[in-house]
Amino acid sequence: MCGIVGYVGAKPALDVVVEGLARLEYRGYDSAGVAVLADGRLTTAKRAGKLVNLRNALEEEPPPAGTTGMGHTRWATHGPPNDRNAHPHTDCTGTVAVIHNGIIENFARLRAELEEAGHKLRSDTDTEAVAHLLEDELKRGGGLPDAMRRVCRRLEGAFTLVAVHTGDTDLVVGARRNSPLVVGLGKGENFLASDVAAFIAHTRDAIELGQDQVVELRPNGVVVTDFAGRPAEVKEYHVDWDVSAAEKGGYDYFMLKEIAEQPRAVADTLLGRIGTDGRLILDEMRMPDQELREVDKVIIVACGTANHAGLIAKYAIEHWAGLPCEVELAHEFRYRDPILNRSTLVIAISQSGETMDTLMAVRHAREQHAKVLGICNVNGSTLPRECDGVLYTHAGPEIAVASTKAFLTQLVAVYLIALYLAQVRGTKWGDEVFAMIQLLAQMPEKVDKVLETMEPVRELARSLAGERCVLFLGRHVGFPVALEGALKLKELAYMHAEGFAAGELKHGPIALIEEGLPVVVVVPPRARDVLHDKIVSNIQEIRARGARTIVIAEEGDTSVEPYADTLIAVPAVPTLLQPLVTTVPLQVFACELATAKGHDVDQPRNLAKSVTVE
Ligand code: M6R
């Protein structure tokens, strides 16, 4: 979850590192710290709280200028987020500094061993043990890379580590197991980071590091080995977005920019995937049609918002592809005994491609010989490497912690997969698939139209800033939309927000309704007459009990007008595609309400963008 940056080159390392940390702050913002090597000496600075606290401290007391350094933004796991536990951590001699993302599971044993041997540990973190282990290993000779390899062989758990040592001032060493780390390739300079965003202003050429690899970074060279010291093959790639994509571009928050980018993100995710004959071309998935014809069950694994995309996918896959589909929270999946075999297609959805729970579910599925297809937004992340095939979403970098454009593009990806399955398996007539693809192609315009009409939603959100609770109801694909609306409000506004299947109302949740309670209801299109009419009855039931009803329905649906205290109209689209237009007002609503409460919507409390620990 933490953000890591390392630099070696000719520029002032501190500037490069702090600029990189600013781009990675979304990964964790409990504390921040830097280490710089200058004149053969190591200087560290660290502060609890957001990066601004560190920046102020560095202004007051600037470290000596050096061209090798590293920095860290923390999402606390071991020990409270204070100055003492902030990274970097140093050894007893103050010559080695380490930053870390992940959890070292055997740290208690290592720490006890180190203390018994006379090391003085000053923090509560698991990371500090690594600095002291490196101190011991450096005494055995071989330099920092060798020491790092030997230390990594002793560590259990998930980690990205980056270290510097006064013994070799033009060197930064990194290591990774189950946690992200990418190399940025510059001219006369090189970079290490948890995410390319940290160095995108300097280079768009990158290397993805594999599992259990150590990298030695010098101004003019990069060497990658495995933990045993054997040279490793590396894969270079070019990042297809530039620095402007990782900046706010005039918006107050990344979240606002990312909401506004959704029509473009949806269009980009469709781009090149619809052939001139109207058929889908998804060769890039690297899943032969014959294998897809042999699939007899689909299981979707994902967490959070990505899981909500999975819940919507279930309706699309069952309806279009005629395949049974289960959706599982990735963290629950491998702790039961899911029934999988070679004919099972597991679809793992993850924006970051680094969510540990999802990666572990993928590994479990592959051990059971299932085929695994990833849906991922981040090129060079771990998920695509671990899957049999991948379909990238083209949302561009999503920096705000709350997922918005990633969600809409995940929906597009699952619709494409469901329609492609229908196409290759012949479960729908060709003209039916063709017609739906045409409708899907119109969705960027429809999303754009929703965004143009959001002012009343913002006003409504501001008027509800004093409320303590908001409920969300939906049916069919509107149910996951209700869950997503509630999740957005929880994570941004820190309010009690709950999503329910409207049909469940009378089985319990209706007891929550009291005078003035805001309830958002997502109404299916009128074309789904039975579902539509049932939810209109639900609206009447809650209104009769005092609820303040906020109704999202398609344009022209006059049947809901008498029962809606507030009516939010969205363009009419087919039922299965409706989440693309009904989710947007809920994103805007949560963002505006949280802002009215004075919250930082890009960095909500206690959260980090990618959950890289279990
Ligand atoms: O990177 P992923 O898509 O795997 O992340 C999964 C969830 O952690 C993520 O969607 C989370 O729920 C969002 N912050 C919600 O807005």
Side-chain angles (χ1 to χ4, degrees), residues 303-306 349-353 355 401-403 410 487-488 491 611:
C303 300
T305 289
I349 310 177
S350 172
Q351 185 283 132
S352 60
T355 299
V401 165
S403 197
Q410 284 163 355
L487 175 61
K488 290 282 98 80
E491 68 181 328
V611 184

Side-chain angles (χ1 to χ4, degrees), residues 304-383:
T305 289
N307 180 263
H308 298 156
L311 291 170
I312 292 165
K314 173 182 167 73
Y315 291 86
I317 289 171
E318 289 180 348
H319 182 73
W320 288 329
L323 278 166
C325 178
E326 296 166 17
V327 188
E328 186 87 38
L329 286 163
H331 35 88
E332 292 297 315
F333 180 68
R334 72 191 176 110
Y335 295 108
R336 56 180 187 87
D337 297 308
I339 313 294
L340 311 169
N341 57 40
R342 289 176 202 282
S343 325
T344 312
L345 174 66
V346 171
I347 303 179
I349 310 177
S350 172
Q351 185 283 132
S352 60
E354 299 294 353
T355 299
M356 182 56 71
D357 294 311
T358 308
L359 292 174
M360 297 314 265
V362 164
R363 284 176 202 161
H364 186 70
R366 292 196 74 193
E367 278 161 18
Q368 315 294 312
H369 309 292
K371 280 178 260 306
V372 183
L373 174 61
I375 295 178
C376 184
N377 191 41
V378 181
N379 196 337
S381 63
T382 307
L383 181 77

Side-chain angles (χ1 to χ4, degrees), residues 75-107:
W75 187 89
T77 55
H78 292 71
N82 51 29
D83 289 357
R84 197 166 53 87
N85 289 329
H87 300 207
H89 291 284
T90 50
D91 66 328
C92 295
T93 65
T95 61
V96 183
V98 177
I99 53 179
H100 166 223
N101 173 26
I103 293 180
I104 294 165
E105 284 163 5
N106 57 338
F107 98 98

Side-chain angles (χ1 to χ4, degrees), residues 266 407-409 411-412 415 440 443 447 450 481 576-584:
V266 168
F407 179 65
L408 258 61
T409 57
L411 291 182
V412 172
Y415 293 143
L440 191 54
M443 293 313 289
V447 175
V450 180
V481 171
L576 282 170
L577 304 186
Q578 208 198 25
L580 285 170
V581 290
T582 47
T583 306
V584 177

